[in-house]
Amino acid sequence: MINSLGINKPEKKTKVVVAMSGGVDSSVVAGLMKDEGYDVTGITLKLYNDAKPSKVGRQCCAGQDILDAKRVSEQLNINHEILYYQKKFKKEVIDNFIESYSSGETPIPCVQCNQTVKFRDLFKYSKDLKADVLVTGHYIKRVQTNGKSLMYRAKDFTRDQSYFLFSTSQEQLDFLRFPLGDIEKIETRNIAKKLNLNVAEKPDSQDICFVPNGDYSSVIKKYRPESFQHGNIVDVKGEVVGQHDGIINYTIGQRRGIKIAGKEPLYVIKINNYDNTIVVGSKDNLKIDKIILRELNILGSPSDFNNEIKIKIRSTGKLLRAKVQLNSDKAEVNILDGENGVSPGQACVFYLKDNTGDKVLGGGWIDKTLNKNLST
């Protein structure tokens, strides 16, 4: 008999590992699995040595979250383990963030975290435990079609996390389960209340876990103070128009803080690490027509890319029309709608709408951006 997780075993003989962050989503998932009679083990990752707690919202994988995950596990009467991955996280996520930001990119550490310590290392550990599945509280839909696992955007678009999971491999997707993909966030909290979980009203995590109060520059200053080198601000013709106090203090599309007077508002349109310059221009100069991607992860078939698809280049951004040409581990993406303020280091995720919904075809990391009206 096939159970609700698609495994040909009775629930009590199906070993389920639940990734428990200490938040309401993963706690509800653990509760649902326990209620259905599965053999559940909750695993919480300690990823960094938290210092002072954030004054705004909350952050995941910190001390309080580990305690909350442990309390929920005790309440549900399930096994609970803590994996101490601080060294892995520092090497794979924090160091990558620092390197990327210092080179003028806009990194997305949450994707790196999912790609490494969560879906690579936790995946392997779950396999070592002889688990049948790894279950998470991500808002994403997994659909089994003709023996293949496919990924789709969640029912609740406001909570959809497909952008952060584009790098999930096919092997990982076959092993993963996402019970919250078909429900709204409000329903998740209602389930938590019905289960009488102490985290039912706990606020969602905010910002990046190792960046206190969203202050990116403080992290760079801590690990790489030499990155704060002064340099030139140049216009699109290459002429020096001002000075900056370190490229890590600027992001593509930034308007405030440039401190240069002009006839029209100026925006950061490019950050050059090789000569430590900031390039500024008009709002029209921000429009990107083409992007080059590196380190692709493709979940779709080659035929999916024969025609126009949709892409997303920000987690909260809209879907954009695009034509994509794949070339080994790189891709050339022509953005048919055009988009402003696209930065290297961000992710570009591919989607194709079918009868089930918006299917995730994979994606890649933005290596270069091109504006056809600029040569800079």
Side-chain angles (χ1 to χ4, degrees):
M1 179 179 176
I2 305 296
N3 60 38
S4 65
L5 296 175
I7 307 296
N8 189 18
K9 286 183 180 181
E11 285 81 359
K12 65 181 180 181
K13 292 187 178 180
T14 302
K15 189 171 182 59
V16 173
V17 167
V18 177
M20 298 184 67
S21 67
V24 62
D25 298 326
S26 59
S27 297
V28 163
V29 166
L32 292 173
M33 294 297 98
K34 175 66 175 180
D35 267 8
E36 290 186 37
Y38 291 106
D39 176 11
V40 182
T41 296
I43 295 183
T44 302
L45 307 180
K46 182 172 177 58
L47 300 181
Y48 67 101
N49 295 314
D50 44 312
K52 295 180 180 179
S54 171
K55 295 179 181 179
V56 181
R58 57 167 284 270
Q59 299 163 307
C60 66
C61 308
Q64 183 59 50
D65 289 315
I66 292 174
L67 289 175
D68 286 339
K70 185 175 181 61
R71 290 187 183 116
V72 169
S73 298
E74 290 172 349
Q75 181 182 350
L76 296 174
N77 193 27
I78 63 173
N79 297 322
H80 181 251
E81 297 183 30
I82 301 171
L83 301 183
Y84 296 89
Y85 278 1
Q86 294 99 312
K87 289 184 179 179
K88 291 177 182 284
F89 187 72
K90 169 65 167 58
K91 178 181 178 182
E92 301 279 6
V93 181
I94 297 180
D95 288 352
N96 182 280
F97 171 87
I98 294 168
E99 183 64 33
S100 181
Y101 222 98
S102 298
S103 66
E105 295 185 339
T106 303
I108 310 173
C110 294
V111 178
Q112 293 283 354
C113 184
N114 288 325
Q115 189 174 7
T116 56
V117 294
K118 287 184 179 176
F119 283 1
R120 183 196 65 195
D121 297 330
L122 181 54
F123 169 87
K124 182 180 182 302
Y125 187 79
S126 301
K127 288 281 191 177
D128 291 342
L129 290 179
K130 307 299 182 185
D132 293 291
V133 294
L134 171 60
V135 181
T136 82
H138 289 100
Y139 286 83
I140 190 80
K141 286 199 288 189
R142 175 189 175 278
V143 178
Q144 197 80 14
T145 302
N146 298 324
K148 182 179 181 180
S149 305
L150 305 176
M151 184 187 293
Y152 285 83
R153 284 212 292 170
K155 175 183 177 180
D156 187 345
F157 284 171
T158 66
R159 305 298 305 182
D160 173 62
Q161 292 172 291
S162 59
Y163 182 84
F164 298 106
L165 300 180
F166 83 88
S167 60
T168 305
S169 71
Q170 188 64 57
E171 181 187 15
Q172 292 166 348
L173 188 56
D174 290 340
F175 188 62
L176 285 159
R177 300 293 187 275
F178 308 103
L180 303 185
D182 282 312
I183 69 175
E184 306 277 344
K185 176 72 177 192
I186 190 171
E187 187 177 346
T188 301
R189 290 204 180 273
N190 287 336
I191 294 172
K193 292 173 184 176
K194 291 177 182 177
L195 294 173
N196 200 31
L197 300 179
N198 66 303
V199 295
E201 300 292 344
K202 187 174 181 178
D204 294 330
S205 58
Q206 303 289 329
D207 299 319
I208 299 169
C209 62
F210 59 90
V211 180
N213 300 315
D215 185 1
Y216 296 169
S217 63
S218 68
V219 177
I220 309 298
K221 185 175 290 185
K222 176 182 178 181
Y223 291 102
R224 193 174 292 184
E226 68 275 11
S227 297
F228 289 80
Q229 294 183 17
H230 291 232
N232 291 328
I233 299 177
V234 301
D235 62 18
V236 295
K237 296 179 181 178
E239 297 180 359
V240 177
V241 294
Q243 298 289 310
H244 68 77
D245 55 357
I247 62 174
I248 66 168
N249 291 313
Y250 298 83
T251 57
I252 301 297
Q254 179 177 332
R255 177 182 171 187
R256 295 179 181 275
I258 300 176
K259 300 176 182 178
I260 298 174
K263 295 180 181 179
E264 59 181 350
L266 293 175
Y267 299 81
V268 176
I269 63 171
K270 197 169 185 180
I271 300 173
N272 295 322
N273 177 56
Y274 64 88
D275 64 356
N276 194 37
T277 59
I278 300 292
V279 183
V280 295
S282 68
K283 190 171 184 179
D284 287 341
N285 298 145
L286 282 174
K287 185 176 181 181
I288 297 301
D289 309 290
K290 181 184 294 185
I291 55 179
I292 306 300
L293 307 182
R294 64 176 186 260
E295 301 172 45
L296 298 183
N297 180 61
I298 302 300
L299 294 171
S301 62
S303 61
D304 289 331
F305 296 89
N306 289 342
N307 299 304
E308 179 183 304
I309 64 169
K310 296 292 181 68
I311 65 169
K312 182 183 278 196
I313 55 176
R314 293 183 184 85
S315 62
T316 57
K318 62 182 180 180
L319 294 183
L320 306 169
R321 297 183 305 117
K323 287 281 290 182
V324 177
Q325 183 177 345
L326 303 178
N327 181 18
S328 186
D329 65 339
K330 294 187 178 182
E332 181 179 291
V333 180
N334 288 286
I335 307 175
L336 303 181
D337 298 318
E339 179 68 336
N340 290 338
V342 184
S343 173
Q346 293 176 316
C348 174
V349 182
F350 309 139
Y351 298 87
L352 182 64
K353 192 171 187 61
D354 62 19
N355 293 332
T356 303
D358 294 314
K359 181 169 66 172
V360 181
L361 304 180
W365 297 98
I366 299 175
D367 191 42
K368 297 178 181 178
T369 63
L370 300 170
N371 180 319
K372 62 185 177 184
N373 296 319
L374 287 176
S375 59
T376 303

Short mmCIF file of all heavy atoms in Angstrom, two decimals, residues 137-178:
data_model
loop_
_atom_site.label_atom_id
_atom_site.label_comp_id
_atom_site.label_asym_id
_atom_site.label_seq_id
_atom_site.Cartn_x
_atom_site.Cartn_y
_atom_site.Cartn_z
N GLY A 137 9.78 22.20 5.88
CA GLY A 137 8.65 23.11 5.97
C GLY A 137 8.66 24.17 4.89
O GLY A 137 8.00 25.20 5.03
N HIS A 138 9.39 23.94 3.80
CA HIS A 138 9.41 24.90 2.70
C HIS A 138 8.06 24.93 1.98
O HIS A 138 7.39 23.92 1.85
CB HIS A 138 10.50 24.54 1.68
CG HIS A 138 11.88 24.78 2.17
ND1 HIS A 138 12.69 23.76 2.66
CD2 HIS A 138 12.62 25.92 2.25
CE1 HIS A 138 13.86 24.26 3.00
NE2 HIS A 138 13.85 25.56 2.78
N TYR A 139 7.71 26.13 1.50
CA TYR A 139 6.49 26.28 0.70
C TYR A 139 6.86 26.06 -0.77
O TYR A 139 7.28 26.97 -1.48
CB TYR A 139 5.87 27.66 0.93
CG TYR A 139 5.19 27.76 2.27
CD1 TYR A 139 5.91 28.05 3.42
CD2 TYR A 139 3.82 27.52 2.40
CE1 TYR A 139 5.30 28.13 4.66
CE2 TYR A 139 3.20 27.59 3.64
CZ TYR A 139 3.95 27.88 4.76
OH TYR A 139 3.34 27.94 5.99
N ILE A 140 6.71 24.82 -1.18
CA ILE A 140 7.03 24.40 -2.54
C ILE A 140 6.25 23.13 -2.82
O ILE A 140 5.96 22.35 -1.91
CB ILE A 140 8.56 24.15 -2.67
CG1 ILE A 140 8.96 23.94 -4.14
CG2 ILE A 140 9.00 22.98 -1.85
CD1 ILE A 140 9.10 25.21 -4.89
N LYS A 141 5.86 22.93 -4.07
CA LYS A 141 5.11 21.72 -4.41
C LYS A 141 6.01 20.73 -5.15
O LYS A 141 6.76 21.11 -6.04
CB LYS A 141 3.89 22.04 -5.27
CG LYS A 141 2.76 22.69 -4.52
CD LYS A 141 1.43 22.59 -5.27
CE LYS A 141 1.42 23.51 -6.47
NZ LYS A 141 0.05 23.57 -7.08
N ARG A 142 5.92 19.48 -4.74
CA ARG A 142 6.62 18.39 -5.42
C ARG A 142 5.56 17.47 -6.01
O ARG A 142 4.70 16.97 -5.30
CB ARG A 142 7.49 17.63 -4.42
CG ARG A 142 8.18 16.38 -4.98
CD ARG A 142 8.82 15.61 -3.84
NE ARG A 142 9.38 14.35 -4.28
CZ ARG A 142 8.69 13.23 -4.46
NH1 ARG A 142 7.37 13.22 -4.25
NH2 ARG A 142 9.28 12.12 -4.85
N VAL A 143 5.64 17.26 -7.31
CA VAL A 143 4.64 16.45 -8.01
C VAL A 143 5.32 15.29 -8.70
O VAL A 143 6.35 15.47 -9.38
CB VAL A 143 3.88 17.31 -9.06
CG1 VAL A 143 2.88 16.45 -9.82
CG2 VAL A 143 3.17 18.47 -8.38
N GLN A 144 4.78 14.10 -8.49
CA GLN A 144 5.34 12.89 -9.11
C GLN A 144 4.59 12.62 -10.42
O GLN A 144 3.39 12.42 -10.43
CB GLN A 144 5.20 11.70 -8.17
CG GLN A 144 6.08 10.50 -8.52
CD GLN A 144 7.51 10.67 -8.05
OE1 GLN A 144 7.80 11.56 -7.25
NE2 GLN A 144 8.41 9.85 -8.53
N THR A 145 5.31 12.63 -11.54
CA THR A 145 4.70 12.40 -12.84
C THR A 145 5.54 11.42 -13.64
O THR A 145 6.73 11.67 -13.88
CB THR A 145 4.58 13.72 -13.64
OG1 THR A 145 3.80 14.65 -12.88
CG2 THR A 145 3.90 13.48 -14.97
N ASN A 146 4.92 10.29 -14.03
CA ASN A 146 5.62 9.27 -14.82
C ASN A 146 6.94 8.85 -14.18
O ASN A 146 7.96 8.68 -14.86
CB ASN A 146 5.87 9.78 -16.24
CG ASN A 146 4.58 10.07 -16.99
OD1 ASN A 146 3.58 9.37 -16.82
ND2 ASN A 146 4.59 11.11 -17.81
N GLY A 147 6.90 8.71 -12.86
CA GLY A 147 8.07 8.24 -12.14
C GLY A 147 9.13 9.30 -11.89
O GLY A 147 10.19 8.99 -11.32
N LYS A 148 8.87 10.54 -12.28
CA LYS A 148 9.85 11.61 -12.07
C LYS A 148 9.27 12.66 -11.14
O LYS A 148 8.10 13.02 -11.24
CB LYS A 148 10.22 12.26 -13.41
CG LYS A 148 11.28 13.36 -13.27
CD LYS A 148 11.65 13.96 -14.61
CE LYS A 148 12.71 15.04 -14.44
NZ LYS A 148 13.10 15.65 -15.73
N SER A 149 10.12 13.16 -10.24
CA SER A 149 9.71 14.21 -9.31
C SER A 149 9.90 15.57 -9.96
O SER A 149 10.97 15.88 -10.48
CB SER A 149 10.54 14.14 -8.03
OG SER A 149 10.47 12.87 -7.43
N LEU A 150 8.84 16.38 -9.93
CA LEU A 150 8.88 17.72 -10.50
C LEU A 150 8.63 18.74 -9.40
O LEU A 150 7.94 18.46 -8.42
CB LEU A 150 7.82 17.87 -11.60
CG LEU A 150 7.87 16.86 -12.74
CD1 LEU A 150 6.70 17.07 -13.69
CD2 LEU A 150 9.19 16.95 -13.50
N MET A 151 9.18 19.93 -9.56
CA MET A 151 9.01 21.00 -8.58
C MET A 151 8.14 22.10 -9.16
O MET A 151 8.33 22.52 -10.31
CB MET A 151 10.38 21.57 -8.17
CG MET A 151 10.31 22.64 -7.07
SD MET A 151 11.93 23.44 -6.76
CE MET A 151 12.86 22.08 -6.07
N TYR A 152 7.19 22.59 -8.35
CA TYR A 152 6.30 23.66 -8.77
C TYR A 152 6.23 24.74 -7.70
O TYR A 152 6.49 24.47 -6.51
CB TYR A 152 4.88 23.13 -9.00
CG TYR A 152 4.71 22.33 -10.27
CD1 TYR A 152 5.05 20.99 -10.32
CD2 TYR A 152 4.19 22.92 -11.43
CE1 TYR A 152 4.90 20.24 -11.49
CE2 TYR A 152 4.03 22.19 -12.60
CZ TYR A 152 4.39 20.85 -12.62
OH TYR A 152 4.23 20.14 -13.78
N ARG A 153 5.86 25.94 -8.12
CA ARG A 153 5.62 27.00 -7.14
C ARG A 153 4.50 26.60 -6.19
O ARG A 153 3.57 25.89 -6.56
CB ARG A 153 5.24 28.30 -7.84
CG ARG A 153 6.41 29.02 -8.47
CD ARG A 153 6.23 30.53 -8.45
NE ARG A 153 5.16 31.00 -9.31
CZ ARG A 153 4.71 32.24 -9.31
NH1 ARG A 153 5.22 33.15 -8.49
NH2 ARG A 153 3.74 32.61 -10.13
N ALA A 154 4.60 27.08 -4.95
CA ALA A 154 3.60 26.75 -3.93
C ALA A 154 2.26 27.39 -4.25
O ALA A 154 2.16 28.36 -5.00
CB ALA A 154 4.09 27.23 -2.57
N LYS A 155 1.22 26.84 -3.65
CA LYS A 155 -0.13 27.40 -3.80
C LYS A 155 -0.16 28.84 -3.32
O LYS A 155 -0.76 29.71 -3.97
CB LYS A 155 -1.13 26.55 -3.00
CG LYS A 155 -2.54 27.12 -3.00
CD LYS A 155 -3.47 26.29 -2.13
CE LYS A 155 -4.86 26.90 -2.08
NZ LYS A 155 -5.78 26.10 -1.22
N ASP A 156 0.47 29.10 -2.18
CA ASP A 156 0.52 30.45 -1.62
C ASP A 156 1.71 31.18 -2.23
O ASP A 156 2.86 31.04 -1.79
CB ASP A 156 0.67 30.37 -0.09
CG ASP A 156 0.57 31.73 0.58
OD1 ASP A 156 0.67 32.75 -0.11
OD2 ASP A 156 0.39 31.76 1.82
N PHE A 157 1.47 31.97 -3.30
CA PHE A 157 2.56 32.66 -3.99
C PHE A 157 3.31 33.62 -3.07
O PHE A 157 4.49 33.89 -3.28
CB PHE A 157 2.01 33.43 -5.20
CG PHE A 157 1.67 32.56 -6.38
CD1 PHE A 157 1.01 33.09 -7.47
CD2 PHE A 157 2.01 31.22 -6.40
CE1 PHE A 157 0.69 32.30 -8.57
CE2 PHE A 157 1.70 30.42 -7.49
CZ PHE A 157 1.04 30.95 -8.58
N THR A 158 2.63 34.14 -2.06
CA THR A 158 3.28 35.08 -1.15
C THR A 158 4.31 34.39 -0.26
O THR A 158 5.16 35.05 0.33
CB THR A 158 2.27 35.81 -0.26
OG1 THR A 158 1.64 34.86 0.63
CG2 THR A 158 1.21 36.50 -1.10
N ARG A 159 4.22 33.06 -0.17
CA ARG A 159 5.16 32.29 0.66
C ARG A 159 6.07 31.39 -0.17
O ARG A 159 6.97 30.75 0.38
CB ARG A 159 4.39 31.41 1.66
CG ARG A 159 3.41 32.14 2.54
CD ARG A 159 4.07 33.16 3.42
NE ARG A 159 5.13 32.60 4.23
CZ ARG A 159 5.84 33.30 5.13
NH1 ARG A 159 5.58 34.57 5.30
NH2 ARG A 159 6.77 32.72 5.82
N ASP A 160 5.83 31.33 -1.47
CA ASP A 160 6.57 30.42 -2.35
C ASP A 160 8.08 30.57 -2.18
O ASP A 160 8.60 31.69 -2.19
CB ASP A 160 6.17 30.69 -3.80
CG ASP A 160 7.01 29.91 -4.78
OD1 ASP A 160 6.97 28.67 -4.73
OD2 ASP A 160 7.74 30.55 -5.58
N GLN A 161 8.77 29.44 -2.03
CA GLN A 161 10.22 29.46 -1.82
C GLN A 161 10.99 28.77 -2.94
O GLN A 161 12.15 28.39 -2.77
CB GLN A 161 10.55 28.81 -0.47
CG GLN A 161 10.06 29.63 0.71
CD GLN A 161 10.21 28.91 2.03
OE1 GLN A 161 9.52 27.93 2.29
NE2 GLN A 161 11.10 29.39 2.88
N SER A 162 10.36 28.63 -4.11
CA SER A 162 11.02 27.95 -5.22
C SER A 162 12.29 28.67 -5.66
O SER A 162 13.25 28.04 -6.10
CB SER A 162 10.06 27.80 -6.40
OG SER A 162 9.59 29.07 -6.84
N TYR A 163 12.30 30.00 -5.54
CA TYR A 163 13.48 30.77 -5.92
C TYR A 163 14.71 30.32 -5.14
O TYR A 163 15.82 30.25 -5.68
CB TYR A 163 13.22 32.26 -5.68
CG TYR A 163 14.35 33.18 -6.07
CD1 TYR A 163 14.50 33.62 -7.38
CD2 TYR A 163 15.26 33.63 -5.11
CE1 TYR A 163 15.53 34.48 -7.73
CE2 TYR A 163 16.29 34.49 -5.45
CZ TYR A 163 16.43 34.91 -6.76
OH TYR A 163 17.46 35.75 -7.10
N PHE A 164 14.52 29.99 -3.88
CA PHE A 164 15.63 29.60 -3.02
C PHE A 164 16.02 28.13 -3.17
O PHE A 164 17.03 27.70 -2.62
CB PHE A 164 15.28 29.87 -1.54
CG PHE A 164 15.04 31.32 -1.23
CD1 PHE A 164 13.75 31.79 -1.02
CD2 PHE A 164 16.09 32.22 -1.17
CE1 PHE A 164 13.52 33.13 -0.74
CE2 PHE A 164 15.87 33.56 -0.89
CZ PHE A 164 14.59 34.02 -0.68
N LEU A 165 15.22 27.39 -3.92
CA LEU A 165 15.46 25.95 -4.03
C LEU A 165 15.78 25.51 -5.45
O LEU A 165 15.77 24.32 -5.75
CB LEU A 165 14.23 25.17 -3.53
CG LEU A 165 13.82 25.42 -2.07
CD1 LEU A 165 12.59 24.59 -1.72
CD2 LEU A 165 14.96 25.09 -1.13
N PHE A 166 16.09 26.46 -6.33
CA PHE A 166 16.34 26.12 -7.73
C PHE A 166 17.51 25.16 -7.91
O PHE A 166 17.60 24.42 -8.88
CB PHE A 166 16.57 27.39 -8.57
CG PHE A 166 17.99 27.90 -8.50
CD1 PHE A 166 18.95 27.44 -9.39
CD2 PHE A 166 18.37 28.85 -7.57
CE1 PHE A 166 20.26 27.90 -9.33
CE2 PHE A 166 19.67 29.32 -7.50
CZ PHE A 166 20.62 28.85 -8.39
N SER A 167 18.46 25.17 -6.97
CA SER A 167 19.67 24.35 -7.11
C SER A 167 19.49 22.93 -6.58
O SER A 167 20.43 22.15 -6.55
CB SER A 167 20.84 25.03 -6.39
OG SER A 167 20.56 25.19 -5.01
N THR A 168 18.27 22.59 -6.15
CA THR A 168 17.99 21.22 -5.69
C THR A 168 18.21 20.24 -6.83
O THR A 168 17.70 20.43 -7.94
CB THR A 168 16.53 21.11 -5.20
OG1 THR A 168 16.31 22.11 -4.20
CG2 THR A 168 16.25 19.74 -4.62
N SER A 169 18.98 19.19 -6.57
CA SER A 169 19.25 18.20 -7.62
C SER A 169 18.07 17.25 -7.78
O SER A 169 17.20 17.16 -6.90
CB SER A 169 20.52 17.41 -7.28
OG SER A 169 20.27 16.54 -6.18
N GLN A 170 18.05 16.53 -8.88
CA GLN A 170 16.98 15.57 -9.11
C GLN A 170 16.99 14.47 -8.06
O GLN A 170 15.94 14.05 -7.56
CB GLN A 170 17.10 14.94 -10.51
CG GLN A 170 15.92 14.08 -10.91
CD GLN A 170 14.62 14.87 -11.03
OE1 GLN A 170 14.55 15.84 -11.78
NE2 GLN A 170 13.62 14.48 -10.27
N GLU A 171 18.18 14.01 -7.68
CA GLU A 171 18.29 12.98 -6.64
C GLU A 171 17.73 13.48 -5.32
O GLU A 171 17.02 12.75 -4.62
CB GLU A 171 19.76 12.57 -6.47
CG GLU A 171 19.98 11.48 -5.42
CD GLU A 171 21.43 11.19 -5.13
OE1 GLU A 171 22.29 12.01 -5.51
OE2 GLU A 171 21.72 10.14 -4.51
N GLN A 172 18.02 14.71 -4.97
CA GLN A 172 17.50 15.29 -3.73
C GLN A 172 15.99 15.45 -3.80
O GLN A 172 15.28 15.14 -2.84
CB GLN A 172 18.17 16.64 -3.47
CG GLN A 172 19.65 16.54 -3.14
CD GLN A 172 20.36 17.87 -3.22
OE1 GLN A 172 19.82 18.86 -3.75
NE2 GLN A 172 21.59 17.93 -2.75
N LEU A 173 15.49 15.92 -4.93
CA LEU A 173 14.06 16.13 -5.10
C LEU A 173 13.28 14.82 -4.98
O LEU A 173 12.18 14.80 -4.44
CB LEU A 173 13.78 16.80 -6.44
CG LEU A 173 12.35 17.28 -6.71
CD1 LEU A 173 11.89 18.24 -5.63
CD2 LEU A 173 12.26 17.94 -8.08
N ASP A 174 13.86 13.75 -5.47
CA ASP A 174 13.22 12.43 -5.35
C ASP A 174 13.06 12.02 -3.88
O ASP A 174 12.11 11.32 -3.52
CB ASP A 174 14.04 11.37 -6.09
CG ASP A 174 13.98 11.53 -7.60
OD1 ASP A 174 13.05 12.18 -8.09
OD2 ASP A 174 14.90 11.02 -8.28
N PHE A 175 13.97 12.47 -3.05
CA PHE A 175 14.01 12.07 -1.64
C PHE A 175 13.25 13.04 -0.73
O PHE A 175 12.82 12.67 0.36
CB PHE A 175 15.49 12.00 -1.20
CG PHE A 175 15.72 11.42 0.16
CD1 PHE A 175 15.37 10.10 0.46
CD2 PHE A 175 16.33 12.17 1.16
CE1 PHE A 175 15.62 9.56 1.71
CE2 PHE A 175 16.58 11.64 2.41
CZ PHE A 175 16.22 10.33 2.69
N LEU A 176 13.06 14.27 -1.18
CA LEU A 176 12.45 15.32 -0.37
C LEU A 176 10.92 15.29 -0.45
O LEU A 176 10.34 14.84 -1.44
CB LEU A 176 12.95 16.69 -0.83
CG LEU A 176 14.38 17.06 -0.43
CD1 LEU A 176 14.92 18.15 -1.35
CD2 LEU A 176 14.43 17.53 1.02
N ARG A 177 10.29 15.81 0.60
CA ARG A 177 8.84 16.00 0.62
C ARG A 177 8.55 17.36 1.24
O ARG A 177 9.23 17.80 2.18
CB ARG A 177 8.14 14.91 1.44
CG ARG A 177 8.36 13.49 0.94
CD ARG A 177 7.70 13.25 -0.42
NE ARG A 177 7.78 11.85 -0.82
CZ ARG A 177 8.81 11.27 -1.44
NH1 ARG A 177 9.88 12.00 -1.71
NH2 ARG A 177 8.79 10.00 -1.77
N PHE A 178 7.50 18.05 0.71
CA PHE A 178 7.14 19.39 1.16
C PHE A 178 5.64 19.46 1.45
O PHE A 178 4.85 19.89 0.60
CB PHE A 178 7.50 20.42 0.08
CG PHE A 178 8.93 20.32 -0.41
CD1 PHE A 178 9.20 19.73 -1.64
CD2 PHE A 178 9.98 20.81 0.33
CE1 PHE A 178 10.50 19.64 -2.13
CE2 PHE A 178 11.29 20.73 -0.13
CZ PHE A 178 11.54 20.14 -1.36
#
